[in-house]
């Protein structure tokens, strides 16, 4: 039966946990919590026995039906609400200790869930109070009287192990899908929202990417592999990753579209690049990045890969615009191996059709942009200088805003460049492409994703819809197609997802800091591509202004764990972190037992000689298969052994009598006692 203490402490547990979640749960969950709490008391007073259980079950089913009809069933808020409601309804039929433990575990689980969304400082306040209430309730259920001093002593003993687990438990942030990939578990559940997403098309309005960046639907997960020499070791810096998607050529009335007839497979496969022709297309390459891609369905033909594809997965091909495409639309989760060049020079010549497309300018639109591009051409002697001047124009005086969707004016690019001067990546890239075309430099727009979320302590990168990005490519006869991203500098400070939970952000290193010198050291290309020029400049790491308490206690993240691993020359991976923890626990265990053994040895040295002889004699007798029990007296133990012996009873009686007399009367024993005792024990062993 449940005592009166538990009837007070268990509702206190649920009430405290429910209050912690009130500021976080939706309104429907809060209403159902209050209804369940009131119903538990009313039902307990009005009903008994099976009628009470039936009423509680019906109330729980009604609550489940309401929650599932108004909230997504996979959401954390729904699961937390169900647990708390179940705990309150269980209070109505509280009869046995087992029922109380179920309620107690609901409270414990709710307290743990509250710690996930609370700030670290708030958790330090709420968790001790919650644990105190839970301890009070558990003591009432088990009829155990709390002993504060023993509790404090146990906490002090457990403190070193707790600190060790706090420091070395891998801090991998994310939902269940993220954690499953981080730990190598292929748990993939496609949500309904992801099934209904709008795929990227062979067309783009200037504000489309800003709309796409407002959701966090998953696009792909990339697992990178280590290497050396010509292979990149692990994930690249996130700011260097461009996931190439559709290539757009024609711009009219504020909208981009791809090549004519691009929706037909025959048109897409015209001039395709295969394994045999891939090397001929490339002029020069840097290191190869090797990785696997798990792509979520998007109902398009694109297989996203980092620029520039160095391999062609099965049932796919590379178009003449360097897009990686599948033969069939991606309608289910697809996994494929991939290799890419982060640094490359591609293209030896530009055919007339492509050059005409790359120079096409809508003369009836954006006249001020056209005039500015022509001025850039007249003021600069070479295309490289013109390209750099265009980047310089967009580098200052503009505002990067992911929430900005577009302009209502017909001359949208003019409005962006000269009037509003704010926009998203597609606005910057569109303006740059039109400026270059007006200056006589072939250019095109690339749509895809930039960066991702690097799961700290793993080799995986998550890419979400809010990483949608657009950049430009220009054609320079001496270099081929060159990537130009006028929004890169703005995105570095405005898009926190670029850093994510990755190494660069965790260690406070700049996003564009290079890890290895590029093989592409040509001065002209570096001048043509400002992003490479910025990457080559040493940038001092920003100072960490967090206090010691924030860095190592309340705001302890994977960055500090990565720093610890690197300080002992280990790869920043969660498995290494666990091995270090196991090693430290083993060392601590050995040191603890060694210290305990040392104390016991020192204590044994201070014992009287007769006590040492007594222990030695009992140790010898244990060889006969009968150990002395902890509560067994010496005489009783020797008598029990004597009953098992079938020979030399006179010698045995004399020796045991001598030992007992010395122990109980604090007398002395003969010098040859040990030798005679050992001889007798050996004879008994031989007889067996």
């Amino acid at each position: 039966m449940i005592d009166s203490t538990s009837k007070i402490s268990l509702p206190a547990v649920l009430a405290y946990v429910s209050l912690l979640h009130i500021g976080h749960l939706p309104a429907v969950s809060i209403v159902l919590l209050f209804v369940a709490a009131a119903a538990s008391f009313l039902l307990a007073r009005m009903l008994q026995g099976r009628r009470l259980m039936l009423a509680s079950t019906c109330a729980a089913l009604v609550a489940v039906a309401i929650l599932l009809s108004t909230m997504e069933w996979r959401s954390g808020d729904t699961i937390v609400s169900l647990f708390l409601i179940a705990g309150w309804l269980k209070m109505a039929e509280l009869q046995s200790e087992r029922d109380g433990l179920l309620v107690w575990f609901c409270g414990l689980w709710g307290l743990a869930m509250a710690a996930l969304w609370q700030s670290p400082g708030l958790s330090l306040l709420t968790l001790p109070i919650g644990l105190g209430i839970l301890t009070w309730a558990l003591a009432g259920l088990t009829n155990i009287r709390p002993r504060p001093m023993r509790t404090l002593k146990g906490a002090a003993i457990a403190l070193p192990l707790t600190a060790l687990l706090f420091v070395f438990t891998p801090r991998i942030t994310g939902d269940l899908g993220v954690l499953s990939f981080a730990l190598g578990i292929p748990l993939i559940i496609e949500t309904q929202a992801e099934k209904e997403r709008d795929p990227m098309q062979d067309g783009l309005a200037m504000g489309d990417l800003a709309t796409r960046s407002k959701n966090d639907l998953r696009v792909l997960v990339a697992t990178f592999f280590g290497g050396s020499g010509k292979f990149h070791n692990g994930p690249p810096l996130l700011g260097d990753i461009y996931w190439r998607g559709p290539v757009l050529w024609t711009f009219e009335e504020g909208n981009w579209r791809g090549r004519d007839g691009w929706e037909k497979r025959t048109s897409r496969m015209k001039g395709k690049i295969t394994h045999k022709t891939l090397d001929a297309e490339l002029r020069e390459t840097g290191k190869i990045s090797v990785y696997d891609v798990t792509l979520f369905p998007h109902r398009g033909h694109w297989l996203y890969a980092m620029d520039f594809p160095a391999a062609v997965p099965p049932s796919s091909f590379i178009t003449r615009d360097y897009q990686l495409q599948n033969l069939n639309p991606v309608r289910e989760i697809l996994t494929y191996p991939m290799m890419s060049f982060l640094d490359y020079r591609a293209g030896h010549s530009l055919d007339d059709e492509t050059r005409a497309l790359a120079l096409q300018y809508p003369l009836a639109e954006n006249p001020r942009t056209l005039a500015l591009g022509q001025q850039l051409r007249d003021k600069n002697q070479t295309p490289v200088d013109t390209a750099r001047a265009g980047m310089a124009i967009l580098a200052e005086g503009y505002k990067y805003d992911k929430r900005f969707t577009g302009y209502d004016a017909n001359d949208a690019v003019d409005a962006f460049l000269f009037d509003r001067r704010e926009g998203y990546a597609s606005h910057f890239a569109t303006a740059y492409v039109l400026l270059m075309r007006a200056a006589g430099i072939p250019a095109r727009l690339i749509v895809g994703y930039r960066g991702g979320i690097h799961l700290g302590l793993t080799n995986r990168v998550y890419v979400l819809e809010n990483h949608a990005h657009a950049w430009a490519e220009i054609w320079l006869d001496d270099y081929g197609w060159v990537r130009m991203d006028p929004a890169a500098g703005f995105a570095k400070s405005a898009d926190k997802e670029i850093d994510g939970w990755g190494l660069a952000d965790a260690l406070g290193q700049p996003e564009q800091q290079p890890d290895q010198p590029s093989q592409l050291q040509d001065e002209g290309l570096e001048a043509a591509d400002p992003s490479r020029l910025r990457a080559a400049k040493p940038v001092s790491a920003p100072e960490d202004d967090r206090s010691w308490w924030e860095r190592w206690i309340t705001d302890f993240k994977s960055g500090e764990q990565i720093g610890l691993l690197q300080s002992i020359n280990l790869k920043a991976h969660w498995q290494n972190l666990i091995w270090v923890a196991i090693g430290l626990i083993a060392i601590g265990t050995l040191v603890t037992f060694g210290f305990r053994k040392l104390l016991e040895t020192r204590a044994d040295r201070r014992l009287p000689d007769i006590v040492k002889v007594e222990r030695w004699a009992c140790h010898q007798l244990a060889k006969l298969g009968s150990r002395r029990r902890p509560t067994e007296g010496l005489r009783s133990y020797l008598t029990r052994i004597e009953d098992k012996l079938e020979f030399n009873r006179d010698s045995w009686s004399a020796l045991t009598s001598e030992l007992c007399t010395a122990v109980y009367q604090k007398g002395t024993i003969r010098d040859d006692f040990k030798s005679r005792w050992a001889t007798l024990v050996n004879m008994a062993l031989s007889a067996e």
Side-chain angles (χ1 to χ4, degrees), residues 629-667:
R629 302 186 186 103
T631 58
E632 192 174 22
L634 176 63
R635 192 180 300 277
S636 299
Y637 176 54
L638 295 176
T639 302
R640 181 163 60 86
I641 295 295
E642 183 178 359
D643 294 338
K644 295 182 179 182
L645 297 178
E646 298 179 356
F647 63 96
N648 291 334
R649 288 185 176 272
D650 294 338
S651 300
W652 174 257
S653 298
L655 284 174
T656 55
S657 177
E658 182 179 352
L659 179 62
C660 290
T661 302
V663 170
Y664 291 119
Q665 298 180 8
K666 298 182 180 180

Short mmCIF file of all heavy atoms in Angstrom, two decimals, residues 629-667:
data_model
loop_
_atom_site.label_atom_id
_atom_site.label_comp_id
_atom_site.label_asym_id
_atom_site.label_seq_id
_atom_site.Cartn_x
_atom_site.Cartn_y
_atom_site.Cartn_z
N ARG A 629 34.12 -17.93 7.85
CA ARG A 629 33.04 -16.99 7.58
C ARG A 629 33.30 -15.68 8.31
O ARG A 629 33.97 -15.65 9.35
CB ARG A 629 31.72 -17.59 8.04
CG ARG A 629 31.38 -18.92 7.36
CD ARG A 629 29.98 -19.37 7.74
NE ARG A 629 29.72 -20.70 7.22
CZ ARG A 629 29.74 -21.83 7.94
NH1 ARG A 629 30.04 -21.76 9.24
NH2 ARG A 629 29.48 -23.00 7.38
N PRO A 630 32.75 -14.56 7.77
CA PRO A 630 33.04 -13.25 8.40
C PRO A 630 32.63 -13.16 9.86
O PRO A 630 33.28 -12.48 10.65
CB PRO A 630 32.24 -12.27 7.52
CG PRO A 630 32.10 -12.97 6.21
CD PRO A 630 31.98 -14.42 6.54
N THR A 631 31.53 -13.84 10.23
CA THR A 631 31.03 -13.74 11.62
C THR A 631 31.41 -14.96 12.46
O THR A 631 30.90 -15.11 13.58
CB THR A 631 29.50 -13.60 11.59
OG1 THR A 631 28.92 -14.74 10.91
CG2 THR A 631 29.09 -12.33 10.88
N GLU A 632 32.28 -15.80 11.96
CA GLU A 632 32.63 -17.05 12.65
C GLU A 632 33.83 -16.84 13.56
O GLU A 632 34.86 -16.29 13.15
CB GLU A 632 32.92 -18.14 11.62
CG GLU A 632 33.02 -19.53 12.21
CD GLU A 632 33.16 -20.59 11.12
OE1 GLU A 632 33.60 -20.22 10.00
OE2 GLU A 632 32.83 -21.76 11.38
N GLY A 633 33.70 -17.29 14.79
CA GLY A 633 34.81 -17.20 15.72
C GLY A 633 35.91 -18.19 15.38
O GLY A 633 35.70 -19.18 14.66
N LEU A 634 37.11 -17.95 15.96
CA LEU A 634 38.26 -18.80 15.65
C LEU A 634 38.03 -20.24 16.13
O LEU A 634 38.28 -21.20 15.40
CB LEU A 634 39.52 -18.21 16.27
CG LEU A 634 40.79 -19.05 16.09
CD1 LEU A 634 41.14 -19.18 14.60
CD2 LEU A 634 41.95 -18.43 16.87
N ARG A 635 37.55 -20.40 17.37
CA ARG A 635 37.37 -21.74 17.92
C ARG A 635 36.32 -22.52 17.12
O ARG A 635 36.50 -23.71 16.83
CB ARG A 635 36.96 -21.66 19.40
CG ARG A 635 37.04 -23.00 20.12
CD ARG A 635 36.64 -22.83 21.57
NE ARG A 635 37.50 -21.90 22.28
CZ ARG A 635 38.67 -22.24 22.80
NH1 ARG A 635 39.15 -23.45 22.66
NH2 ARG A 635 39.38 -21.34 23.46
N SER A 636 35.22 -21.84 16.76
CA SER A 636 34.19 -22.52 15.98
C SER A 636 34.72 -22.94 14.61
O SER A 636 34.41 -24.03 14.11
CB SER A 636 32.97 -21.60 15.81
OG SER A 636 32.42 -21.27 17.06
N TYR A 637 35.51 -22.09 14.02
CA TYR A 637 36.08 -22.41 12.71
C TYR A 637 37.02 -23.61 12.80
O TYR A 637 36.96 -24.54 11.97
CB TYR A 637 36.82 -21.18 12.18
CG TYR A 637 37.53 -21.39 10.86
CD1 TYR A 637 36.87 -21.88 9.74
CD2 TYR A 637 38.90 -21.09 10.75
CE1 TYR A 637 37.53 -22.06 8.54
CE2 TYR A 637 39.57 -21.27 9.54
CZ TYR A 637 38.88 -21.75 8.44
OH TYR A 637 39.54 -21.95 7.25
N LEU A 638 37.89 -23.65 13.80
CA LEU A 638 38.83 -24.75 13.95
C LEU A 638 38.11 -26.06 14.26
O LEU A 638 38.51 -27.14 13.80
CB LEU A 638 39.84 -24.43 15.04
CG LEU A 638 40.78 -23.23 14.76
CD1 LEU A 638 41.66 -22.96 15.96
CD2 LEU A 638 41.61 -23.47 13.52
N THR A 639 37.03 -25.98 15.05
CA THR A 639 36.25 -27.19 15.34
C THR A 639 35.59 -27.73 14.08
O THR A 639 35.54 -28.95 13.86
CB THR A 639 35.18 -26.87 16.40
OG1 THR A 639 35.82 -26.37 17.58
CG2 THR A 639 34.37 -28.11 16.75
N ARG A 640 35.08 -26.83 13.22
CA ARG A 640 34.45 -27.26 11.97
C ARG A 640 35.47 -27.92 11.05
O ARG A 640 35.15 -28.91 10.37
CB ARG A 640 33.81 -26.04 11.28
CG ARG A 640 33.10 -26.36 9.97
CD ARG A 640 32.17 -25.22 9.58
NE ARG A 640 32.87 -23.96 9.39
CZ ARG A 640 33.46 -23.58 8.24
NH1 ARG A 640 33.45 -24.41 7.21
NH2 ARG A 640 34.06 -22.41 8.16
N ILE A 641 36.68 -27.42 11.03
CA ILE A 641 37.73 -28.04 10.21
C ILE A 641 38.12 -29.40 10.78
O ILE A 641 38.35 -30.38 10.05
CB ILE A 641 38.96 -27.11 10.12
CG1 ILE A 641 38.59 -25.82 9.38
CG2 ILE A 641 40.12 -27.80 9.42
CD1 ILE A 641 38.22 -26.02 7.93
N GLU A 642 38.19 -29.50 12.13
CA GLU A 642 38.61 -30.75 12.77
C GLU A 642 37.65 -31.89 12.46
O GLU A 642 38.06 -33.04 12.31
CB GLU A 642 38.71 -30.53 14.28
CG GLU A 642 39.22 -31.76 15.04
CD GLU A 642 39.34 -31.48 16.53
OE1 GLU A 642 39.03 -30.33 16.95
OE2 GLU A 642 39.74 -32.39 17.26
N ASP A 643 36.35 -31.56 12.32
CA ASP A 643 35.37 -32.61 12.02
C ASP A 643 35.59 -33.22 10.65
O ASP A 643 35.15 -34.36 10.39
CB ASP A 643 33.95 -32.03 12.10
CG ASP A 643 33.60 -31.60 13.53
OD1 ASP A 643 34.25 -32.13 14.45
OD2 ASP A 643 32.70 -30.75 13.68
N LYS A 644 36.26 -32.49 9.75
CA LYS A 644 36.50 -33.01 8.41
C LYS A 644 37.78 -33.84 8.32
O LYS A 644 37.98 -34.55 7.33
CB LYS A 644 36.57 -31.85 7.40
CG LYS A 644 35.27 -31.10 7.25
CD LYS A 644 35.41 -30.02 6.20
CE LYS A 644 34.10 -29.27 6.00
NZ LYS A 644 34.21 -28.22 4.93
N LEU A 645 38.68 -33.71 9.32
CA LEU A 645 39.95 -34.42 9.28
C LEU A 645 39.77 -35.84 9.83
O LEU A 645 39.07 -36.05 10.82
CB LEU A 645 41.00 -33.67 10.10
CG LEU A 645 41.37 -32.26 9.59
CD1 LEU A 645 42.37 -31.62 10.52
CD2 LEU A 645 41.92 -32.33 8.18
N GLU A 646 40.42 -36.78 9.19
CA GLU A 646 40.30 -38.18 9.60
C GLU A 646 41.63 -38.77 10.10
O GLU A 646 41.77 -39.98 10.20
CB GLU A 646 39.77 -39.02 8.43
CG GLU A 646 38.39 -38.59 7.97
CD GLU A 646 37.90 -39.42 6.80
OE1 GLU A 646 38.69 -40.27 6.33
OE2 GLU A 646 36.74 -39.21 6.37
N PHE A 647 42.64 -37.95 10.35
CA PHE A 647 43.93 -38.47 10.79
C PHE A 647 44.59 -37.42 11.68
O PHE A 647 44.26 -36.24 11.61
CB PHE A 647 44.83 -38.81 9.59
CG PHE A 647 45.18 -37.62 8.77
CD1 PHE A 647 46.38 -36.94 8.96
CD2 PHE A 647 44.32 -37.13 7.79
CE1 PHE A 647 46.72 -35.85 8.20
CE2 PHE A 647 44.66 -36.04 7.04
CZ PHE A 647 45.85 -35.39 7.22
N ASN A 648 45.53 -37.83 12.48
CA ASN A 648 46.34 -36.96 13.33
C ASN A 648 45.48 -36.03 14.18
O ASN A 648 45.77 -34.83 14.29
CB ASN A 648 47.34 -36.14 12.50
CG ASN A 648 48.43 -36.99 11.91
OD1 ASN A 648 48.77 -38.06 12.44
ND2 ASN A 648 49.01 -36.52 10.82
N ARG A 649 44.43 -36.54 14.74
CA ARG A 649 43.57 -35.67 15.52
C ARG A 649 44.28 -35.15 16.77
O ARG A 649 44.02 -34.02 17.20
CB ARG A 649 42.30 -36.41 15.93
CG ARG A 649 41.35 -36.65 14.76
CD ARG A 649 40.04 -37.29 15.23
NE ARG A 649 39.11 -37.42 14.14
CZ ARG A 649 38.25 -36.49 13.78
NH1 ARG A 649 38.22 -35.36 14.45
NH2 ARG A 649 37.43 -36.69 12.77
N ASP A 650 45.20 -35.96 17.33
CA ASP A 650 45.93 -35.51 18.51
C ASP A 650 46.82 -34.31 18.19
O ASP A 650 46.86 -33.32 18.93
CB ASP A 650 46.78 -36.66 19.07
CG ASP A 650 45.90 -37.80 19.61
OD1 ASP A 650 44.72 -37.52 19.93
OD2 ASP A 650 46.40 -38.92 19.68
N SER A 651 47.57 -34.41 17.07
CA SER A 651 48.43 -33.28 16.67
C SER A 651 47.58 -32.06 16.36
O SER A 651 47.95 -30.92 16.69
CB SER A 651 49.26 -33.68 15.44
OG SER A 651 50.09 -34.78 15.73
N TRP A 652 46.46 -32.29 15.68
CA TRP A 652 45.58 -31.17 15.34
C TRP A 652 45.03 -30.51 16.59
O TRP A 652 45.01 -29.27 16.69
CB TRP A 652 44.44 -31.68 14.45
CG TRP A 652 43.41 -30.61 14.16
CD1 TRP A 652 42.18 -30.49 14.72
CD2 TRP A 652 43.53 -29.52 13.26
NE1 TRP A 652 41.52 -29.41 14.22
CE2 TRP A 652 42.35 -28.78 13.31
CE3 TRP A 652 44.55 -29.11 12.40
CZ2 TRP A 652 42.13 -27.65 12.55
CZ3 TRP A 652 44.33 -27.97 11.63
CH2 TRP A 652 43.14 -27.25 11.71
N SER A 653 44.60 -31.28 17.57
CA SER A 653 44.04 -30.72 18.80
C SER A 653 45.09 -29.92 19.56
O SER A 653 44.80 -28.85 20.12
CB SER A 653 43.49 -31.85 19.68
OG SER A 653 42.45 -32.53 19.03
N ALA A 654 46.32 -30.42 19.57
CA ALA A 654 47.38 -29.70 20.28
C ALA A 654 47.67 -28.36 19.63
O ALA A 654 47.83 -27.32 20.31
CB ALA A 654 48.64 -30.57 20.33
N LEU A 655 47.75 -28.36 18.31
CA LEU A 655 48.05 -27.11 17.60
C LEU A 655 46.91 -26.10 17.75
O LEU A 655 47.14 -24.90 18.00
CB LEU A 655 48.31 -27.40 16.13
CG LEU A 655 49.67 -28.01 15.79
CD1 LEU A 655 49.72 -28.39 14.32
CD2 LEU A 655 50.79 -27.05 16.13
N THR A 656 45.68 -26.54 17.56
CA THR A 656 44.54 -25.61 17.67
C THR A 656 44.39 -25.08 19.08
O THR A 656 44.04 -23.92 19.29
CB THR A 656 43.25 -26.31 17.22
OG1 THR A 656 43.07 -27.51 17.99
CG2 THR A 656 43.30 -26.66 15.75
N SER A 657 44.64 -25.95 20.06
CA SER A 657 44.55 -25.50 21.45
C SER A 657 45.62 -24.45 21.74
O SER A 657 45.35 -23.44 22.41
CB SER A 657 44.71 -26.70 22.39
OG SER A 657 44.70 -26.27 23.74
N GLU A 658 46.83 -24.68 21.23
CA GLU A 658 47.90 -23.70 21.42
C GLU A 658 47.55 -22.36 20.78
O GLU A 658 47.77 -21.29 21.35
CB GLU A 658 49.20 -24.25 20.83
CG GLU A 658 50.40 -23.31 21.02
CD GLU A 658 51.67 -23.90 20.44
OE1 GLU A 658 51.66 -25.08 20.02
OE2 GLU A 658 52.68 -23.17 20.39
N LEU A 659 46.96 -22.40 19.56
CA LEU A 659 46.60 -21.17 18.86
C LEU A 659 45.47 -20.44 19.57
O LEU A 659 45.55 -19.21 19.77
CB LEU A 659 46.20 -21.49 17.41
CG LEU A 659 45.76 -20.30 16.55
CD1 LEU A 659 46.92 -19.30 16.40
CD2 LEU A 659 45.30 -20.77 15.17
N CYS A 660 44.45 -21.16 19.99
CA CYS A 660 43.32 -20.52 20.66
C CYS A 660 43.74 -19.92 22.00
O CYS A 660 43.31 -18.82 22.38
CB CYS A 660 42.19 -21.54 20.87
SG CYS A 660 41.36 -22.03 19.35
N THR A 661 44.59 -20.63 22.74
CA THR A 661 45.07 -20.10 24.02
C THR A 661 45.84 -18.80 23.82
O THR A 661 45.68 -17.82 24.56
CB THR A 661 45.96 -21.15 24.72
OG1 THR A 661 45.21 -22.34 24.93
CG2 THR A 661 46.47 -20.62 26.05
N ALA A 662 46.68 -18.77 22.75
CA ALA A 662 47.47 -17.56 22.49
C ALA A 662 46.59 -16.40 22.07
O ALA A 662 46.83 -15.24 22.47
CB ALA A 662 48.51 -17.87 21.41
N VAL A 663 45.56 -16.70 21.30
CA VAL A 663 44.70 -15.62 20.80
C VAL A 663 43.79 -15.09 21.89
O VAL A 663 43.68 -13.87 22.10
CB VAL A 663 43.87 -16.11 19.58
CG1 VAL A 663 42.81 -15.08 19.22
CG2 VAL A 663 44.78 -16.39 18.40
N TYR A 664 43.11 -16.00 22.60
CA TYR A 664 42.11 -15.55 23.56
C TYR A 664 42.72 -15.08 24.87
O TYR A 664 42.16 -14.20 25.54
CB TYR A 664 41.11 -16.68 23.82
CG TYR A 664 40.22 -16.96 22.63
CD1 TYR A 664 40.22 -18.21 22.02
CD2 TYR A 664 39.38 -15.98 22.10
CE1 TYR A 664 39.42 -18.48 20.93
CE2 TYR A 664 38.59 -16.24 21.01
CZ TYR A 664 38.61 -17.49 20.42
OH TYR A 664 37.82 -17.74 19.33
N GLN A 665 43.86 -15.68 25.27
CA GLN A 665 44.48 -15.29 26.53
C GLN A 665 45.73 -14.43 26.33
O GLN A 665 46.47 -14.18 27.29
CB GLN A 665 44.85 -16.56 27.32
CG GLN A 665 43.63 -17.40 27.67
CD GLN A 665 44.00 -18.64 28.46
OE1 GLN A 665 45.15 -18.81 28.88
NE2 GLN A 665 43.02 -19.51 28.70
N LYS A 666 45.95 -14.04 25.06
CA LYS A 666 47.08 -13.19 24.72
C LYS A 666 48.40 -13.78 25.20
O LYS A 666 49.26 -13.10 25.76
CB LYS A 666 46.91 -11.77 25.28
CG LYS A 666 45.69 -11.06 24.73
CD LYS A 666 45.58 -9.65 25.28
CE LYS A 666 44.34 -8.97 24.70
NZ LYS A 666 44.19 -7.59 25.21
N GLY A 667 48.50 -15.07 24.96
CA GLY A 667 49.73 -15.75 25.35
C GLY A 667 50.72 -15.80 24.20
O GLY A 667 50.68 -15.00 23.27
#
